[in-house]
């Protein structure tokens, strides 16, 4: 397994593989890898000849009041996981490699898709995400790129960006990986104290309840959202950012033509913001 710090060398290596006829899978990450990331890596290794993982905590997707400085890092553990999983190359750049002096370009997506859900409380977040992911897609010209469905809005936005800007990479969404008690795997789970970790299961409990009620199709969307609200509000350590059920494709209000729905929540457990969701195809 190679570990490369520069964009130019990474591009050169990936292009050499492409010229040799290899298919390339790519898993962009911010590091502190867990079983959720490993599931993406495993899919890539199974479906491609070569797999590249990027590890970069992208500063442009963090607002000044957010957790950039304390975001967890453990490159030794990350590289070991990648090695054991069969990764061929880790792209591990520093900030100045990704954002050199006089860097002046950002990607901002218009429309509702970036303004709903997390976009309401994190208005600059998805511009940072789109900019860094676009850069990474140019640095790692892959055939397939793998993203977790836990970040459902991010997945929808990146899929839209790839379509809009004619990237040739195929975006593949992979299932949410959960702890035994149901909590969705997240690097930010490491922030939780013992009491907060116990309280955090209320997030997945609300998601599972919402999914079950939506499958039964007996209650209105508003009634299901209210039920999910009530569950989360029963936990004293939980503070709701949002609980919504929307059209998966547009992230806007469900209509008669909606094919798939997204039930999504963002909840603060103490100071830690956790997200989770369910996706349901409508009959």
């Amino acid at each position: 397994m190679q570990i490369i710090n520069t964009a130019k060398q990474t591009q050169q290596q990936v292009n050499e593989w492409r010229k040799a006829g290899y298919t390339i899978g790519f898993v962009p990450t911010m590091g502190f890898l867990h079983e959720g990331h490993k599931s993406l890596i495993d899919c890539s290794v199974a479906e491609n000849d070569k797999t590249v993982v990027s590890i970069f905590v992208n500063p442009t997707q963090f607002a000044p009041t957010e957790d950039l400085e304390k975001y967890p890092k453990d490159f030794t553990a990350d590289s070991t996981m990648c090695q054991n999983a069969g990764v061929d190359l880790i792209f591990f750049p520093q900030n100045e490699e990704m954002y050199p002096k006089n860097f002046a370009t950002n990607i901002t997506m218009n429309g509702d898709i970036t303004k709903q859900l997390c976009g309401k409380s994190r208005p600059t977040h998805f511009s940072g995400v789109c900019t860094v992911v676009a850069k990474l897609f140019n640095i790692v010209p892959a055939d397939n790129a793998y993203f977790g469905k836990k970040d459902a809005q991010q997945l929808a936005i990146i899929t839209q960006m790839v379509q809009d800007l004619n990237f040739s990479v195929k975006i593949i969404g992979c299932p949410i990986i959960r702890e035994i008690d149901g909590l969705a795997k997240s690097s930010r789970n490491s922030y939780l104290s013992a009491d907060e970790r116990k309280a955090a299961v209320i997030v997945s409990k609300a998601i599972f309840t919402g999914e079950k009620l939506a499958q039964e199709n007996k209650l209105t969307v508003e009634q299901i959202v209210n039920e999910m609200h009530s569950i989360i509000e029963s936990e004293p350590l939980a503070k709701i950012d949002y609980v919504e059920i929307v059209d998966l494709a547009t992230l806007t209000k469900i209509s008669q033509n909606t094919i798939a729905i997204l039930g999504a929540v963002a909840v603060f457990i103490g100071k830690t913001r956790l997200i989770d969701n369910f996706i349901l195809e409508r009959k």
Side-chain angles (χ1 to χ4, degrees):
M1 183 182 70
Q2 300 180 64
I3 299 173
I4 300 179
N5 305 113
T6 69
K8 183 176 182 180
Q9 287 178 299
T10 300
Q11 280 177 323
Q12 288 174 341
Q13 178 60 84
V14 175
N15 283 327
E16 285 178 11
W17 285 335
R18 292 179 66 86
K19 288 177 183 177
Y22 295 121
T23 56
I24 312 299
F26 180 36
V27 182
T29 83
M30 293 208 300
F32 209 67
L33 305 183
H34 51 66
E35 288 87 346
H37 297 107
K38 187 176 182 300
S39 73
L40 307 182
I41 294 169
D42 288 344
C43 286
S44 179
V45 170
E47 296 174 1
N48 302 275
D49 299 316
K50 301 289 184 180
T51 290
V52 179
V53 172
S54 64
I55 296 176
F56 177 63
V57 181
N58 175 41
T60 66
Q61 68 193 64
F62 290 79
T65 58
E66 293 180 342
D67 58 343
L68 173 60
E69 294 304 319
K70 68 173 185 176
Y71 196 85
K73 300 178 181 69
D74 189 341
F75 184 73
T76 300
D78 292 346
S79 57
T80 298
M81 176 184 284
C82 289
Q83 177 84 55
N84 293 340
V87 170
D88 298 280
L89 189 158
I90 295 176
F91 175 48
F92 183 50
Q94 299 303 305
N95 283 356
E96 56 270 20
E97 179 69 18
M98 295 297 286
Y99 298 107
K101 186 179 179 180
N102 298 324
F103 183 88
T105 302
N106 290 287
I107 295 178
T108 301
M109 190 177 293
N110 296 320
D112 290 325
I113 195 168
T114 61
K115 298 174 183 176
Q116 306 302 316
L117 304 179
C118 291
K120 292 179 180 178
S121 59
R122 306 184 74 190
T124 63
H125 174 69
F126 290 113
S127 176
V129 169
C130 287
T131 301
V132 76
V133 171
K135 284 177 65 67
L136 288 168
F137 284 166
N138 285 325
I139 294 166
V140 183
D143 298 283
N144 303 298
Y146 298 81
F147 293 85
K149 290 183 179 180
K150 182 177 76 71
D151 297 295
Q153 185 173 17
Q154 172 180 276
L155 177 59
I157 287 168
I158 290 170
T159 300
Q160 183 71 50
M161 181 187 74
V162 164
Q163 176 182 313
D164 290 349
L165 299 183
N166 301 104
F167 284 101
S168 60
V169 65
K170 180 181 179 181
I171 304 300
I172 298 172
C174 298
I176 297 172
I177 304 299
R178 297 184 179 276
E179 304 282 0
I180 293 173
D181 62 5
L183 182 67
K185 295 274 188 179
S186 171
S187 299
R188 287 187 170 93
N189 290 350
S190 64
Y191 296 163
L192 300 169
S193 68
D195 288 342
E196 289 170 344
R197 176 61 184 81
K198 291 177 183 177
V201 296
I202 203 70
V203 179
S204 53
K205 182 178 179 181
I207 285 295
F208 297 152
T209 299
E211 182 176 26
K212 182 175 183 293
L213 292 173
Q215 288 171 337
E216 292 172 351
N217 201 27
K218 295 178 181 179
L219 300 180
T220 66
V221 166
E222 183 178 5
Q223 287 172 325
I224 296 172
V225 168
N226 288 340
E227 287 291 328
M228 295 170 69
H229 254 279
S230 296
I231 290 169
I232 298 169
E233 288 170 344
S234 71
E235 170 51 60
L237 295 181
K239 179 183 177 183
I240 294 172
D241 184 354
Y242 64 78
V243 177
E244 296 193 41
I245 296 177
V246 296
D247 184 312
L248 177 62
T250 64
L251 305 186
T252 55
K253 186 176 180 180
I254 292 172
S255 69
Q256 289 183 336
N257 298 322
T258 297
I259 297 173
I261 66 171
L262 169 69
V265 304
V267 179
F268 286 93
I269 303 295
K271 294 182 179 180
T272 303
R273 186 176 183 273
L274 302 178
I275 61 172
D276 202 348
N277 70 76
F278 69 85
I279 295 171
L280 185 65
E281 300 286 337
R282 301 180 82 191
K283 296 180 180 180

